[in-house]
Amino acid sequence: MPVSLLGAAEIRRLAADLDVTPTKKLGQNFVVDANTVRKIVHAARVTASDRVVEIGPGLGSLTLAILETDASVVAVEIDHRLAERLPATAAAHDVPEGRLTVIDADALRVDHLPGEPNVLVANLPYNVSVPVLLHFLETFPYLRRGVVMVQAEVGERLAAPPGSKVYGAPSAKAAWYGSWRLAGTVSRQVFWPVPNVDSVLVAFDRDAEPRGSEEHRRRTFQIVDAAFQQRRKMLRQALAGVLGGTAAEASAHLERAGVDPTLRGEQLTIDDYARIAAL
């Protein structure tokens, strides 16, 4: 039998059975619309040959939509009650045995994923979305693409190009791993409870080759952090602390890297930052 999806009434029953009251802290706004979860899976280009890691499956509405494609899923869930119930929910919706693996853990502490999944799909709360994404991209190089549903502010920042109003440290750090783009909007009405913020889908494709070594990445991110800590300062001032100790030394370093010392951090691409860090 084909995998069936959760409906709004069943989601509420599951929450009641588990005594789950959706909380802002864990970002528990559950998606109750089948078209929306299928839209997310379509945006992630999930096929039967894919192995997917899903962060924050909650009650399983998106999980079942992924499994509907015949892909296999590793689900990482921080709420013990939800993690324990998910396999039973999957079985009740005709998911074949062995296609779903549940990891009961904080995503920020996960350092191993069985089966080396190649696609990431997630519905992430505001306060941990960027740290979780960067942790997974850093830790699991076999993740080649993915789609995450996040608050609009976070998604727009992740996908922002250099020089744009919302371009910041998360934009530059995300770009270290590959290309990012907005992949759709999500109505507030598809969530239970209905949130008071807008959500978007943001998609990424990892670059074919790593941009640099782990040491190079750490140094690049240190420079990115320094540049955006003082957004309105010229780079020669903002980076003095990490490029020699004085504005003059920072200027000389930047010039050797081919970067104008009078620019500001939000004007630089990740390639610019990587070049500065390489010297």
Side-chain angles (χ1 to χ4, degrees), residues 84-192:
E84 187 176 12
R85 173 58 72 92
L86 192 56
T89 301
H93 284 260
D94 301 309
V95 173
E97 190 174 348
R99 290 256 311 283
L100 172 65
T101 302
V102 179
I103 298 176
D104 183 351
D106 181 345
L108 284 169
R109 298 180 180 277
V110 172
D111 59 9
H112 170 73
L113 293 173
E116 298 194 352
N118 61 308
V119 181
L120 184 151
V121 177
N123 173 15
L124 295 174
Y126 179 87
N127 58 330
V128 299
S129 50
V130 171
V132 164
L133 278 174
L134 293 179
H135 170 67
F136 268 64
L137 288 166
E138 173 192 336
T139 309
F140 308 115
Y142 39 78
L143 290 172
R144 304 311 306 172
R145 68 180 188 277
V147 168
V148 294
M149 180 163 56
V150 290
Q151 286 189 18
E153 176 186 341
V154 175
E156 288 163 3
R157 187 174 292 273
L158 283 168
S164 67
K165 189 175 181 180
V166 295
Y167 182 75
S171 322
K173 290 178 179 180
W176 172 271
Y177 299 102
S179 59
W180 296 72
R181 65 190 183 280
L182 293 176
T185 58
V186 181
S187 167
R188 299 184 188 189
Q189 304 307 313
V190 305
F191 294 98
W192 171 69

Side-chain angles (χ1 to χ4, degrees), residues 227-278:
F228 285 98
Q229 198 168 12
Q230 307 176 72
R231 283 183 70 94
R232 291 178 177 80
K233 289 194 174 181
M234 294 180 184
L235 287 169
R236 64 189 178 197
Q237 297 168 296
L239 298 182
V242 294
L243 296 181
T246 68
E249 288 176 294
S251 287
H253 186 115
L254 289 163
E255 286 170 355
R256 288 197 301 274
V259 175
D260 183 347
T262 66
L263 294 177
R264 289 169 173 77
E266 55 267 34
Q267 296 172 277
L268 268 60
T269 67
I270 189 59
D271 289 327
D272 294 327
Y273 282 112
R275 203 163 59 249
I276 295 166

